[in-house]
Amino acid sequence: GQNIDQPTEMTATEGAIVQINCTYQTSGFNGLFWYQQHAGEAPTFLSYNVLDGLEEKGRFSSFLSRSKGYSYLLLKELQMKDSASYLCATSSGGYQKVTFGTGTKLQVIP
Amino acid sequence: DTGVSQDPRHKITKRGQNVTFRCDPISEHNRLYWYRQTLGQGPEFLTYFQNEAQLEKSRLLSDRFSAERPKGSFSTLEIQRTEQGDSAMYLCASSRSGGYTFGSGTRLTVV
């Protein structure tokens, strides 16, 4: 089965750093995605972790621990435009089906 | 390459009517997925195609739902005898390997 948990909402201050955690229990786990979704829009790809460790991409970094079933998305130097929902999703099975969590709604305040 | 295209962007229909949505994936992507998303939730998997073959259907996809991908190119999702509970954003995504690229979605409102 598939089970993905992430906080429902978070608030952070412009210019600060925020970490969004995700835990998962996924059969046939391949890798973990993070997507950003602004209200009323489609999700956009942020990162994909297959191996343990931290991957950095500009202001965004994503971490994965396969043994712990744990990932986080780290956003640095927050900007107002970063206010969005952040979806944790796991890829599993032979054809890499993606299952999404419910998303974490991040509000960046001045 | 203009990405994944979905049509229409918005659809308002009366309960009991049939609706059909279209998805044009990125041309070299052989995998195509349909998801449904309601407010405050993540996208929920509906069905998956590899080329023209429909390889998996979710239990969410009742008998009123049908999806096709003739010739392994564009795909259609049809909902028959729509119900108010069908109101949602219907997202199409395609991939070759690794991450999905999503279309902008079709927002369905059943009144």
Side-chain angles (χ1 to χ4, degrees):
Chain A
Q2 321 293 351
N3 189 40
I4 300 171
D5 289 312
Q6 54 182 129
T8 305
E9 294 182 349
M10 297 183 72
T11 300
T13 305
E14 190 177 14
I17 299 172
V18 71
Q19 177 173 314
I20 303 174
N21 296 322
C22 171
T23 58
Y24 64 89
Q25 293 174 307
T26 300
S27 303
F29 178 81
N30 295 324
L32 190 136
F33 292 95
W34 284 97
Y35 280 84
Q36 180 191 61
Q37 187 175 29
H38 286 98
E41 298 181 9
T44 55
F45 172 83
L46 290 178
S47 66
Y48 180 51
N49 291 64
V50 176
L51 302 176
D52 286 357
L54 184 69
E55 293 199 4
E56 299 183 68
K57 194 183 296 184
R59 294 189 299 113
F60 292 8
S61 302
S62 56
F63 172 84
L64 176 66
S65 169
R66 296 176 68 112
S67 62
K68 294 181 179 178
Y70 169 68
S71 173
Y72 67 74
L73 180 68
L74 193 71
L75 292 76
K76 303 176 186 176
E77 302 169 13
L78 281 171
Q79 301 175 10
M80 299 300 290
K81 68 178 182 180
D82 297 330
S83 293
S85 285
Y86 291 85
L87 299 164
C88 174
T90 59
S91 167
S92 62
Y95 62 82
Q96 301 179 338
K97 173 183 167 182
V98 176
T99 303
F100 289 84
T102 57
T104 298
K105 187 175 181 179
L106 174 66
Q107 184 181 15
V108 180
I109 58 176
Chain B
D1 181 9
T2 56
V4 179
S5 299
Q6 291 189 246
D7 183 68
R9 290 292 305 274
H10 303 276
K11 179 71 176 178
I12 300 174
T13 191
K14 290 184 178 179
R15 191 175 51 188
Q17 297 294 305
N18 299 345
V19 294
T20 300
F21 311 141
R22 177 180 170 122
C23 171
D24 287 89
I26 292 172
S27 57
E28 63 266 27
H29 286 184
N30 59 343
R31 297 173 177 168
L32 186 147
Y33 309 81
W34 284 98
Y35 282 78
R36 180 174 68 186
Q37 187 174 25
T38 54
L39 198 62
Q41 300 296 313
E44 297 172 293
F45 172 81
L46 292 179
T47 191
Y48 157 70
F49 290 86
Q50 179 149 326
N51 301 312
E52 67 275 10
Q54 187 174 22
L55 298 186
E56 185 175 341
K57 290 174 60 174
S58 165
R59 286 170 294 179
L60 293 174
L61 222 61
S62 73
D63 292 345
R64 298 184 296 106
F65 287 71
S66 63
E68 295 182 344
R69 193 183 182 196
K71 303 178 182 178
S73 55
F74 71 92
S75 176
T76 58
L77 178 67
E78 180 183 16
I79 309 174
Q80 296 182 327
R81 305 182 302 282
T82 52
E83 302 172 356
Q84 286 188 317
D86 297 332
S87 295
M89 173 79 85
Y90 289 83
L91 292 162
C92 175
S94 71
S95 76
R96 186 167 181 84
S97 62
Y100 289 4
T101 301
F102 280 92
S104 299
T106 294
R107 181 168 295 283
L108 173 67
T109 303
V110 181
V111 297

